[in-house]
Amino acid sequence: MGRLEMSGEDNLLRLVEAEDGDENNYHLQDQVGFILRKAHQRHVALFASHIGDLTPPQFAALAKLHDIGETSQNQLGTLIAMDAATVKGVIDRLKARGLVEVSKHEVDKRRLLVNLTPQGREAIERLIPLARAITEETLAPLTAKEAATFLRLLAKLA
Amino acid sequence: MGRLEMSGEDNLLRLVEAEDGDENNYHLQDQVGFILRKAHQRHVALFASHIGDLTPPQFAALAKLHDIGETSQNQLGTLIAMDAATVKGVIDRLKARGLVEVSKHEVDKRRLLVNLTPQGREAIERLIPLARAITEETLAPLTAKEAATFLRLLAKLA
DNA sequence: CTGATATCATTTGCATACGAATGAATTTGA
DNA sequence: TCAAATTCATTCGTATGCAAATGATATCAG
């Protein structure tokens, strides 16, 4: 648009279209939600390329259990930002692979306690160094100072 | 730990545990992948609260079609960062709701052309102002300058 | 021209992710 | 104390998201 020789009418058209292009047009690729989704996709792909047999949510569950020890499924979900339905599936799959074990809470019979198995502990301790490398690689496009700024601002949004 | 009166042995233990806590401990909540996942979740929730009957990927498809006009399903997927299997599902659901229509490419019989229907055009034009508000609300925890910095760095990662 | 490659779309299988509904158990409050 | 509200876990339905396999079509190279 605006690349042709213009009559008076074309001039008006160009003005309208320029206004449309600069102010009214919606650029998906500039929206924070769209870029956030792509950045998240990139991180998941990097994670998969380094840790193929565990997903980021599964890793998060193991890492948190390693950090705090036995907890209820519900509490674990809160700590790793998963709703009850999602954490159920994650724990079921980790249980099926022998990385966690569940038991009933002695006094509060509603609660399902989750804990690492020895294999789970071995796995998470082996994988944590790889996870550190994934974090580094995810942030690799930024300088150290930029990465620090980015993490500070990202945390404000999360 | 380190809160009890200590013998020499306890002192050594405390040192070891302090080292563990400060250097060897892995803090999930500080990892970029985990925070990225939470920020993305927050945005999706904000989106849902404003635009309840369309998901961010569905909105992205409509917005891109509105921007560029008819394209192949595959090309659309590339533009909105979805693989072929995912974009298929998104388009199927938009088609079922009468927001897009598909047709066969005249010369290249492999391609499936996708375009907005009049209802789809009406919907996206009505929703774009809401999407702008969602972007603003997502970035609300940041100052204008911080938001600009954040978007610049986020784009580098995506 | 034709066999090897590449592209486009589809399908299947698996893994999040969340809303809503349900049931069991616990806690609260009048 | 006991009915109401809350919490914990499960289940169902729907929607991404991706890997891998498949089939149809198109392009390329010799």
Side-chain angles (χ1 to χ4, degrees):
Chain A
M1 65 183 94
R3 251 170 272 98
L4 304 173
E5 67 291 351
M6 293 173 274
S7 69
E9 277 180 359
D10 283 338
N11 223 337
L12 177 58
L13 178 63
R14 194 183 68 92
L15 278 173
V16 169
E17 288 185 345
E19 211 172 89
D20 193 55
D22 291 329
E23 297 175 19
N24 291 331
N25 238 19
Y26 180 81
H27 300 292
L28 182 69
Q29 67 274 17
D30 296 335
Q31 306 302 308
V32 63
F34 183 71
I35 317 178
L36 218 38
R37 174 170 151 268
K38 289 211 298 176
H40 181 246
Q41 282 176 356
R42 172 168 169 269
H43 174 262
V44 171
L46 280 175
F47 194 99
S49 75
H50 285 77
I51 302 181
D53 64 344
L54 221 52
T55 65
Q58 290 167 0
F59 176 88
L62 296 184
K64 186 53 73 175
L65 286 173
H66 185 256
D67 191 17
I68 65 168
E70 190 174 60
T71 351
S72 74
Q73 189 172 276
N74 205 275
Q75 174 67 8
L76 180 61
T78 300
L79 294 170
I80 60 181
M82 286 178 211
D83 71 14
T86 302
V87 78
K88 165 90 164 69
V90 172
I91 294 303
D92 278 353
R93 285 180 284 276
L94 292 174
K95 188 172 52 178
R97 291 173 56 178
L99 299 177
V100 304
E101 57 193 357
V102 303
S103 56
K104 290 176 195 159
H105 192 287
E106 296 286 320
V107 292
D108 188 339
K109 294 176 186 170
R110 293 170 306 179
R111 298 191 196 175
L112 191 66
L113 294 175
V114 188
N115 209 347
L116 290 179
T117 61
Q119 303 102 288
R121 178 172 300 275
E122 186 278 327
I124 189 61
E125 290 177 355
R126 179 171 45 80
L127 293 176
I128 281 176
L130 298 184
R132 291 190 200 279
I134 293 165
T135 291
E136 268 188 40
E137 194 171 343
T138 300
L139 293 172
L142 307 182
T143 67
K145 182 180 284 189
E146 284 176 333
T149 301
F150 176 74
L151 285 174
R152 181 174 62 82
L153 300 180
L154 180 62
K156 282 193 182 187
L157 291 194
Chain B
M1 67 185 92
R3 254 170 270 99
L4 304 173
E5 66 291 353
M6 292 173 274
S7 69
E9 277 180 0
D10 284 337
N11 224 335
L12 177 60
L13 178 63
R14 195 183 69 90
L15 279 173
V16 168
E17 288 185 346
E19 209 173 88
D20 194 54
D22 292 329
E23 297 175 18
N24 291 332
N25 238 18
Y26 180 81
H27 300 293
L28 182 69
Q29 67 274 18
D30 297 335
Q31 306 302 309
V32 64
F34 183 71
I35 317 177
L36 218 38
R37 175 168 150 269
K38 289 211 298 176
H40 181 246
Q41 282 177 355
R42 172 168 169 271
H43 174 263
V44 171
L46 280 176
F47 194 99
S49 75
H50 286 75
I51 303 181
D53 64 342
L54 221 54
T55 65
Q58 290 167 1
F59 177 87
L62 294 184
K64 186 53 75 174
L65 286 172
H66 185 255
D67 191 18
I68 65 169
E70 190 174 60
T71 354
S72 73
Q73 189 172 276
N74 204 276
Q75 174 67 9
L76 180 61
T78 299
L79 293 170
I80 59 180
M82 285 178 212
D83 70 15
T86 301
V87 79
K88 166 89 163 70
V90 172
I91 294 303
D92 278 354
R93 285 181 284 276
L94 291 174
K95 188 172 52 179
R97 292 173 55 178
L99 300 176
V100 304
E101 58 193 357
V102 303
S103 56
K104 290 176 196 160
H105 193 286
E106 297 286 321
V107 292
D108 188 340
K109 295 176 187 171
R110 294 170 305 178
R111 298 190 197 177
L112 191 66
L113 294 175
V114 187
N115 209 347
L116 291 178
T117 61
Q119 304 103 287
R121 178 172 300 275
E122 185 277 329
I124 189 62
E125 290 177 355
R126 178 172 46 80
L127 293 176
I128 280 176
L130 298 184
R132 292 189 201 279
I134 292 165
T135 291
E136 267 188 41
E137 194 171 343
T138 300
L139 292 172
L142 307 182
T143 67
K145 183 180 283 186
E146 284 175 334
T149 300
F150 176 74
L151 284 174
R152 181 174 60 81
L153 299 180
L154 180 63
K156 281 194 180 184
L157 291 193

